[in-house]
Amino acid sequence: YVPLVGRPGDLGIMTTPDALPGLEQLLVGSNLAADAYRQDVAARIGLKIGLYSPGRVASKITCPTLVQIARHDAITPCAVAEKVARRIPEATVHIYDCSHFDPYVDPAFTEIIADQLAFLRDNVPVS
């Protein structure tokens, strides 16, 4: 197992400058103790994560798709996410003035969830 996050230069899956502070923000924002859940992952994820490339199949998506992007994301850069989103034929794209971990806590959480609910109301038929 390897740490999920670390400081730049440390061993970890996410080691951008905002990774460790972001995880700490999540713990504080959710009132979880630091030991409430595992903060490590199987090392084999490191072999697969570099191969993960949603851009390869984005143009094949045929359903309405909501893409929510964090403008200051150091882990999934905004420009990369926007480029992939433009390949999705029926994409609704929202860009938020936040970083990678901010969508999980307020104030970004409330806005992002509201946009998700609006997207679902507009795109998922109710029977």
Side-chain angles (χ1 to χ4, degrees):
Y1 288 90
V2 296
L4 179 60
V5 300
R7 290 179 178 80
D10 286 351
L11 176 65
I13 295 298
M14 293 181 280
T15 58
T16 57
D18 62 344
L20 191 56
L23 179 61
E24 291 167 353
Q25 173 187 345
L26 290 177
L27 294 172
V28 170
S30 61
N31 295 317
L32 291 173
D35 61 352
Y37 65 94
R38 292 186 69 150
Q39 295 180 30
D40 57 2
V41 295
R44 67 182 172 270
I45 192 85
L47 299 172
K48 294 182 178 186
I49 202 162
L51 301 174
Y52 179 68
S53 181
R56 289 187 212 152
V57 296
S59 65
K60 297 177 184 174
I61 298 173
T62 59
C63 63
T65 304
L66 174 63
V67 181
Q68 295 177 295
I69 302 170
R71 183 178 314 280
H72 309 290
D73 196 326
I75 296 166
T76 306
C78 182
V80 173
E82 282 184 283
K83 183 178 178 182
V84 171
R86 284 194 298 271
R87 295 182 191 155
I88 302 171
E90 293 188 59
T92 299
V93 180
H94 292 282
I95 300 176
Y96 304 91
D97 193 29
C98 65
S99 63
H100 186 84
F101 294 93
D102 294 333
Y104 305 103
V105 295
D106 276 326
F109 179 82
T110 301
E111 178 184 7
I112 288 168
I113 292 297
D115 288 344
Q116 290 173 1
L117 292 172
F119 177 83
L120 291 171
R121 278 192 299 274
D122 294 344
N123 292 281
V124 178
V126 178
S127 55

